Short mmCIF file of all heavy atoms in Angstrom, two decimals:
data_model
loop_
_atom_site.label_atom_id
_atom_site.label_comp_id
_atom_site.label_asym_id
_atom_site.label_seq_id
_atom_site.Cartn_x
_atom_site.Cartn_y
_atom_site.Cartn_z
N LEU A 30 15.18 14.51 0.01
CA LEU A 30 13.86 15.24 0.01
C LEU A 30 13.61 15.82 1.35
O LEU A 30 13.82 15.18 2.39
CB LEU A 30 12.74 14.26 -0.32
CG LEU A 30 12.82 13.38 -1.58
CD1 LEU A 30 11.56 12.54 -1.72
CD2 LEU A 30 13.03 14.24 -2.82
N GLY A 63 8.35 4.77 7.20
CA GLY A 63 7.75 5.74 6.29
C GLY A 63 8.06 5.47 4.87
O GLY A 63 9.18 5.79 4.39
N HIS A 64 7.11 4.89 4.15
CA HIS A 64 7.32 4.59 2.74
C HIS A 64 6.27 5.21 1.83
O HIS A 64 6.33 5.01 0.60
CB HIS A 64 7.34 3.09 2.52
CG HIS A 64 6.11 2.38 2.93
ND1 HIS A 64 5.80 2.11 4.27
CD2 HIS A 64 5.06 1.94 2.23
CE1 HIS A 64 4.66 1.51 4.35
NE2 HIS A 64 4.18 1.40 3.11
N GLU A 65 5.35 5.96 2.33
CA GLU A 65 4.36 6.69 1.50
C GLU A 65 4.66 8.19 1.57
O GLU A 65 4.10 8.92 2.31
CB GLU A 65 2.93 6.46 2.07
CG GLU A 65 2.45 5.02 1.93
CD GLU A 65 1.02 4.88 2.34
OE1 GLU A 65 0.58 5.42 3.38
OE2 GLU A 65 0.27 4.19 1.61
N ILE A 66 5.59 8.60 0.76
CA ILE A 66 6.15 9.95 0.95
C ILE A 66 5.91 10.87 -0.23
O ILE A 66 5.72 10.43 -1.38
CB ILE A 66 7.65 9.84 1.19
CG1 ILE A 66 8.40 9.31 -0.04
CG2 ILE A 66 8.01 9.04 2.42
CD1 ILE A 66 9.91 9.45 0.03
N VAL A 67 5.92 12.15 0.05
CA VAL A 67 6.02 13.20 -0.98
C VAL A 67 6.89 14.25 -0.36
O VAL A 67 6.85 14.52 0.85
CB VAL A 67 4.66 13.75 -1.39
CG1 VAL A 67 3.91 14.37 -0.23
CG2 VAL A 67 4.80 14.74 -2.50
N VAL A 86 8.24 15.58 -5.54
CA VAL A 86 8.20 14.23 -6.02
C VAL A 86 7.68 13.26 -5.01
O VAL A 86 7.65 13.52 -3.79
CB VAL A 86 9.58 13.74 -6.49
CG1 VAL A 86 10.17 14.64 -7.54
CG2 VAL A 86 10.53 13.61 -5.30
N THR A 87 7.18 12.13 -5.51
CA THR A 87 6.91 10.95 -4.69
C THR A 87 7.77 9.83 -5.23
O THR A 87 8.50 10.01 -6.24
CB THR A 87 5.41 10.59 -4.71
OG1 THR A 87 5.19 9.50 -3.81
CG2 THR A 87 4.97 10.14 -6.09
N THR A 88 7.77 8.70 -4.53
CA THR A 88 8.52 7.52 -4.98
C THR A 88 7.71 6.27 -4.71
O THR A 88 6.92 6.25 -3.78
CB THR A 88 9.90 7.36 -4.28
OG1 THR A 88 9.64 7.01 -2.90
CG2 THR A 88 10.68 8.64 -4.33
N PRO A 89 7.88 5.21 -5.52
CA PRO A 89 7.35 3.94 -5.12
C PRO A 89 8.05 3.48 -3.85
O PRO A 89 9.22 3.84 -3.60
CB PRO A 89 7.69 3.00 -6.30
CG PRO A 89 8.04 3.90 -7.43
CD PRO A 89 8.60 5.17 -6.80
N PHE A 90 7.38 2.72 -3.00
CA PHE A 90 8.04 2.24 -1.80
C PHE A 90 9.16 1.24 -2.16
O PHE A 90 10.09 1.03 -1.40
CB PHE A 90 7.06 1.62 -0.81
CG PHE A 90 6.43 0.36 -1.27
CD1 PHE A 90 7.06 -0.87 -1.12
CD2 PHE A 90 5.09 0.34 -1.83
CE1 PHE A 90 6.43 -2.06 -1.53
CE2 PHE A 90 4.50 -0.83 -2.21
CZ PHE A 90 5.16 -2.04 -2.09
N HIS A 91 8.99 0.61 -3.31
CA HIS A 91 9.98 -0.38 -3.77
C HIS A 91 10.99 0.35 -4.68
O HIS A 91 10.84 0.41 -5.91
CB HIS A 91 9.36 -1.56 -4.48
CG HIS A 91 8.20 -1.21 -5.33
ND1 HIS A 91 8.29 -0.55 -6.54
CD2 HIS A 91 6.86 -1.43 -5.16
CE1 HIS A 91 7.11 -0.38 -7.07
NE2 HIS A 91 6.19 -0.90 -6.24
N LEU A 92 12.01 0.95 -4.06
CA LEU A 92 13.08 1.62 -4.84
C LEU A 92 13.81 0.57 -5.68
O LEU A 92 14.27 -0.45 -5.16
CB LEU A 92 14.02 2.34 -3.90
CG LEU A 92 13.40 3.34 -2.94
CD1 LEU A 92 14.45 3.95 -2.00
CD2 LEU A 92 12.70 4.48 -3.70
N ALA A 93 13.93 0.87 -6.96
CA ALA A 93 14.44 -0.15 -7.92
C ALA A 93 15.72 0.30 -8.58
O ALA A 93 16.07 1.49 -8.58
CB ALA A 93 13.35 -0.47 -8.95
N ALA A 105 9.38 -3.09 -12.47
CA ALA A 105 10.29 -2.65 -11.42
C ALA A 105 9.81 -2.95 -10.04
O ALA A 105 10.56 -2.92 -9.05
CB ALA A 105 10.55 -1.13 -11.58
N ASN A 106 8.51 -3.25 -9.91
CA ASN A 106 7.94 -3.60 -8.58
C ASN A 106 8.43 -4.95 -8.09
O ASN A 106 8.25 -5.28 -6.90
CB ASN A 106 6.43 -3.60 -8.62
CG ASN A 106 5.79 -4.51 -9.64
OD1 ASN A 106 6.29 -4.56 -10.79
ND2 ASN A 106 4.78 -5.23 -9.28
N VAL A 107 9.09 -5.74 -8.95
CA VAL A 107 9.72 -6.98 -8.47
C VAL A 107 11.20 -7.00 -8.87
O VAL A 107 11.81 -8.01 -9.19
CB VAL A 107 9.00 -8.24 -9.08
CG1 VAL A 107 7.63 -8.40 -8.45
CG2 VAL A 107 8.88 -8.16 -10.61
N MET A 111 15.93 -4.61 -5.32
CA MET A 111 15.03 -3.69 -4.65
C MET A 111 15.52 -3.26 -3.28
O MET A 111 16.09 -4.04 -2.52
CB MET A 111 13.64 -4.39 -4.52
CG MET A 111 12.59 -3.54 -3.89
SD MET A 111 11.08 -4.55 -3.69
CE MET A 111 10.80 -5.14 -5.37
N GLN A 112 15.28 -1.98 -2.93
CA GLN A 112 15.39 -1.45 -1.58
C GLN A 112 14.03 -0.99 -1.15
O GLN A 112 13.41 -0.16 -1.85
CB GLN A 112 16.38 -0.31 -1.55
CG GLN A 112 17.87 -0.76 -1.65
CD GLN A 112 18.33 -1.44 -0.38
OE1 GLN A 112 18.10 -0.97 0.75
NE2 GLN A 112 18.97 -2.57 -0.56
N VAL A 113 13.50 -1.49 -0.04
CA VAL A 113 12.18 -1.09 0.40
C VAL A 113 12.30 0.07 1.36
O VAL A 113 12.87 -0.07 2.46
CB VAL A 113 11.41 -2.26 1.04
CG1 VAL A 113 10.01 -1.83 1.44
CG2 VAL A 113 11.35 -3.43 0.03
N LEU A 114 11.80 1.21 0.98
CA LEU A 114 11.91 2.42 1.72
C LEU A 114 11.20 2.31 3.08
O LEU A 114 10.10 1.80 3.19
CB LEU A 114 11.23 3.57 0.95
CG LEU A 114 11.38 5.00 1.53
CD1 LEU A 114 12.82 5.43 1.54
CD2 LEU A 114 10.55 5.96 0.71
N GLY A 115 11.96 2.66 4.15
CA GLY A 115 11.39 2.58 5.49
C GLY A 115 11.49 1.19 6.12
O GLY A 115 11.16 0.99 7.26
N PHE A 116 12.06 0.27 5.34
CA PHE A 116 12.26 -1.11 5.86
C PHE A 116 13.71 -1.50 5.77
O PHE A 116 14.36 -1.83 6.79
CB PHE A 116 11.40 -2.11 5.08
CG PHE A 116 9.92 -1.92 5.29
CD1 PHE A 116 9.22 -0.97 4.60
CD2 PHE A 116 9.23 -2.68 6.22
CE1 PHE A 116 7.84 -0.76 4.80
CE2 PHE A 116 7.90 -2.51 6.47
CZ PHE A 116 7.19 -1.54 5.77
N CYS A 118 15.96 0.58 4.30
CA CYS A 118 16.67 1.82 4.45
C CYS A 118 15.71 2.82 5.10
O CYS A 118 14.49 2.60 5.11
CB CYS A 118 17.15 2.37 3.08
SG CYS A 118 15.82 2.53 1.85
N GLN A 127 16.57 10.24 2.23
CA GLN A 127 17.48 10.01 1.08
C GLN A 127 16.80 9.03 0.13
O GLN A 127 16.26 8.00 0.55
CB GLN A 127 18.79 9.48 1.55
CG GLN A 127 19.84 9.20 0.47
CD GLN A 127 21.00 8.44 1.00
OE1 GLN A 127 20.86 7.30 1.50
NE2 GLN A 127 22.19 9.06 0.94
N ILE A 128 16.87 9.31 -1.17
CA ILE A 128 16.33 8.41 -2.20
C ILE A 128 17.45 8.02 -3.14
O ILE A 128 18.15 8.89 -3.65
CB ILE A 128 15.17 9.09 -2.98
CG1 ILE A 128 14.05 9.54 -2.06
CG2 ILE A 128 14.65 8.17 -4.08
CD1 ILE A 128 13.40 8.40 -1.27
N THR A 129 17.62 6.74 -3.40
CA THR A 129 18.64 6.25 -4.28
C THR A 129 18.08 6.19 -5.74
O THR A 129 16.90 6.14 -5.98
CB THR A 129 19.11 4.86 -3.86
OG1 THR A 129 18.00 3.95 -3.89
CG2 THR A 129 19.74 4.86 -2.48
N ASN A 130 19.04 6.13 -6.70
CA ASN A 130 18.70 6.02 -8.11
C ASN A 130 17.54 6.94 -8.46
O ASN A 130 16.51 6.53 -8.98
CB ASN A 130 18.36 4.59 -8.45
CG ASN A 130 18.31 4.29 -9.94
OD1 ASN A 130 18.80 5.09 -10.74
ND2 ASN A 130 17.74 3.15 -10.30
N ALA A 131 17.74 8.23 -8.21
CA ALA A 131 16.64 9.19 -8.24
C ALA A 131 16.06 9.34 -9.63
O ALA A 131 14.82 9.55 -9.76
CB ALA A 131 17.13 10.55 -7.74
N ASP A 132 16.85 9.28 -10.66
CA ASP A 132 16.31 9.49 -12.03
C ASP A 132 15.26 8.42 -12.34
O ASP A 132 14.34 8.69 -13.13
CB ASP A 132 17.41 9.44 -13.07
CG ASP A 132 18.29 10.70 -13.03
OD1 ASP A 132 17.77 11.79 -12.62
OD2 ASP A 132 19.47 10.64 -13.41
N PHE A 133 15.42 7.25 -11.78
CA PHE A 133 14.45 6.14 -12.05
C PHE A 133 13.32 6.15 -11.03
O PHE A 133 12.16 5.89 -11.39
CB PHE A 133 15.18 4.83 -12.01
CG PHE A 133 14.34 3.65 -12.48
CD1 PHE A 133 13.97 3.52 -13.83
CD2 PHE A 133 13.89 2.67 -11.60
CE1 PHE A 133 13.20 2.46 -14.27
CE2 PHE A 133 13.15 1.60 -12.04
CZ PHE A 133 12.82 1.47 -13.38
N ASN A 134 13.63 6.43 -9.77
CA ASN A 134 12.65 6.25 -8.69
C ASN A 134 11.82 7.47 -8.35
O ASN A 134 10.75 7.30 -7.75
CB ASN A 134 13.35 5.76 -7.44
CG ASN A 134 13.84 4.36 -7.57
OD1 ASN A 134 13.13 3.46 -8.01
ND2 ASN A 134 15.10 4.11 -7.25
N CYS A 135 12.25 8.66 -8.68
CA CYS A 135 11.46 9.84 -8.36
C CYS A 135 10.37 10.10 -9.40
O CYS A 135 10.64 10.08 -10.60
CB CYS A 135 12.34 11.08 -8.24
SG CYS A 135 13.37 11.07 -6.76
N VAL A 136 9.15 10.34 -8.91
CA VAL A 136 8.00 10.59 -9.80
C VAL A 136 7.48 11.98 -9.45
O VAL A 136 7.11 12.25 -8.33
CB VAL A 136 6.88 9.54 -9.56
CG1 VAL A 136 5.70 9.86 -10.44
CG2 VAL A 136 7.40 8.14 -9.80
N ARG A 137 7.49 12.87 -10.46
CA ARG A 137 7.03 14.25 -10.19
C ARG A 137 5.55 14.26 -9.84
O ARG A 137 4.75 13.59 -10.49
CB ARG A 137 7.34 15.14 -11.39
CG ARG A 137 8.78 15.51 -11.48
CD ARG A 137 9.05 16.50 -12.64
NE ARG A 137 10.43 16.88 -12.66
CZ ARG A 137 11.40 16.18 -13.28
NH1 ARG A 137 11.08 15.03 -13.86
NH2 ARG A 137 12.65 16.59 -13.21
N ALA A 147 -0.94 13.42 -2.40
CA ALA A 147 0.15 12.72 -3.10
C ALA A 147 0.76 11.62 -2.23
O ALA A 147 1.13 10.57 -2.75
CB ALA A 147 1.23 13.71 -3.52
N SER A 148 0.81 11.85 -0.95
CA SER A 148 1.37 10.84 -0.05
C SER A 148 0.46 9.59 -0.01
O SER A 148 0.93 8.47 0.14
CB SER A 148 1.57 11.34 1.37
OG SER A 148 0.36 11.56 2.01
N ILE A 150 -0.93 8.24 -2.44
CA ILE A 150 -0.58 7.42 -3.63
C ILE A 150 0.57 6.50 -3.38
O ILE A 150 0.68 5.41 -3.93
CB ILE A 150 -0.31 8.32 -4.86
CG1 ILE A 150 -1.60 9.08 -5.22
CG2 ILE A 150 0.22 7.54 -6.03
CD1 ILE A 150 -1.38 10.11 -6.35
N GLY A 151 1.51 6.91 -2.50
CA GLY A 151 2.85 6.29 -2.37
C GLY A 151 2.83 4.78 -2.16
O GLY A 151 3.75 4.11 -2.58
N CYS A 152 1.87 4.22 -1.46
CA CYS A 152 1.80 2.77 -1.27
C CYS A 152 0.40 2.26 -1.50
O CYS A 152 0.13 1.52 -2.42
CB CYS A 152 2.33 2.40 0.11
SG CYS A 152 2.06 0.64 0.51
N ARG A 153 -0.48 2.64 -0.60
CA ARG A 153 -1.79 1.97 -0.62
C ARG A 153 -2.59 2.19 -1.89
O ARG A 153 -3.15 1.27 -2.42
CB ARG A 153 -2.58 2.36 0.67
CG ARG A 153 -2.11 1.64 1.88
CD ARG A 153 -2.62 2.25 3.17
NE ARG A 153 -1.87 3.46 3.50
CZ ARG A 153 -2.00 4.07 4.64
NH1 ARG A 153 -2.79 3.63 5.56
NH2 ARG A 153 -1.27 5.18 4.90
N MET A 155 -1.46 3.21 -4.96
CA MET A 155 -0.83 2.63 -6.17
C MET A 155 -0.82 1.12 -6.05
O MET A 155 -0.92 0.41 -7.05
CB MET A 155 0.53 3.21 -6.35
CG MET A 155 1.58 2.98 -5.25
SD MET A 155 2.50 1.44 -5.53
CE MET A 155 4.09 1.87 -4.81
N THR A 156 -0.68 0.56 -4.85
CA THR A 156 -0.78 -0.89 -4.66
C THR A 156 -2.15 -1.38 -5.11
O THR A 156 -2.30 -2.42 -5.76
CB THR A 156 -0.50 -1.28 -3.22
OG1 THR A 156 0.88 -0.95 -2.93
CG2 THR A 156 -0.75 -2.75 -2.96
N HIS A 296 2.19 -7.01 -5.86
CA HIS A 296 3.11 -6.29 -5.02
C HIS A 296 3.38 -4.88 -5.56
O HIS A 296 3.89 -4.68 -6.66
CB HIS A 296 4.47 -7.01 -5.00
CG HIS A 296 5.51 -6.33 -4.12
ND1 HIS A 296 6.63 -5.74 -4.68
CD2 HIS A 296 5.58 -6.18 -2.77
CE1 HIS A 296 7.34 -5.25 -3.71
NE2 HIS A 296 6.76 -5.48 -2.55
N GLY A 297 2.93 -3.88 -4.82
CA GLY A 297 3.19 -2.50 -5.21
C GLY A 297 2.59 -2.15 -6.57
O GLY A 297 1.52 -2.65 -6.94
N ASN A 298 3.33 -1.35 -7.37
CA ASN A 298 2.86 -0.89 -8.63
C ASN A 298 4.06 -0.62 -9.53
O ASN A 298 4.99 0.07 -9.09
CB ASN A 298 2.05 0.39 -8.46
CG ASN A 298 1.47 0.92 -9.74
OD1 ASN A 298 0.71 0.19 -10.44
ND2 ASN A 298 1.78 2.16 -10.10
N PRO A 299 4.09 -1.18 -10.73
CA PRO A 299 5.27 -0.89 -11.59
C PRO A 299 5.45 0.58 -11.83
O PRO A 299 4.49 1.33 -11.99
CB PRO A 299 4.89 -1.65 -12.88
CG PRO A 299 3.89 -2.64 -12.47
CD PRO A 299 3.13 -2.07 -11.33
N HIS A 300 6.71 1.00 -11.87
CA HIS A 300 6.98 2.39 -12.21
C HIS A 300 6.31 2.82 -13.50
O HIS A 300 5.85 3.97 -13.64
CB HIS A 300 8.50 2.58 -12.36
CG HIS A 300 9.30 2.44 -11.10
ND1 HIS A 300 9.12 1.40 -10.20
CD2 HIS A 300 10.33 3.23 -10.57
CE1 HIS A 300 10.00 1.53 -9.21
NE2 HIS A 300 10.74 2.62 -9.41
N SER A 301 6.25 1.91 -14.46
CA SER A 301 5.72 2.22 -15.79
C SER A 301 4.20 2.47 -15.75
O SER A 301 3.68 3.05 -16.73
CB SER A 301 5.96 1.04 -16.74
OG SER A 301 5.46 -0.18 -16.20
N SER A 302 3.51 2.18 -14.62
CA SER A 302 2.10 2.44 -14.56
C SER A 302 1.76 3.79 -13.92
O SER A 302 0.61 4.18 -13.91
CB SER A 302 1.43 1.32 -13.71
OG SER A 302 1.48 0.08 -14.33
N TYR A 303 2.74 4.49 -13.43
CA TYR A 303 2.48 5.79 -12.79
C TYR A 303 1.87 6.79 -13.72
O TYR A 303 0.97 7.55 -13.30
CB TYR A 303 3.77 6.32 -12.18
CG TYR A 303 3.91 5.94 -10.71
CD1 TYR A 303 4.47 4.75 -10.35
CD2 TYR A 303 3.49 6.82 -9.71
CE1 TYR A 303 4.65 4.38 -9.03
CE2 TYR A 303 3.62 6.45 -8.40
CZ TYR A 303 4.18 5.23 -8.03
OH TYR A 303 4.35 4.89 -6.71
N LEU A 306 -1.87 6.12 -13.81
CA LEU A 306 -2.45 6.36 -12.52
C LEU A 306 -2.57 7.88 -12.27
O LEU A 306 -3.65 8.39 -11.86
CB LEU A 306 -1.65 5.72 -11.43
CG LEU A 306 -1.98 6.06 -9.96
CD1 LEU A 306 -3.41 5.76 -9.68
CD2 LEU A 306 -1.04 5.34 -9.03
#
Side-chain angles (χ1 to χ4, degrees):
L30 307 182
H64 59 281
E65 293 187 316
I66 64 169
V67 60
V86 302
T87 185
T88 69
F90 68 83
H91 38 72
L92 303 177
N106 57 316
V107 291
M111 183 185 304
Q112 285 289 312
V113 182
L114 186 64
F116 293 83
C118 55
Q127 180 190 62
I128 302 299
T129 59
N130 194 14
D132 288 332
F133 189 69
N134 289 311
C135 287
V136 179
R137 285 185 178 82
S148 70
I150 294 174
C152 170
R153 282 166 284 190
M155 63 88 147
T156 294
H296 179 251
N298 183 58
H300 292 46
S301 55
S302 295
Y303 267 85
L306 171 56

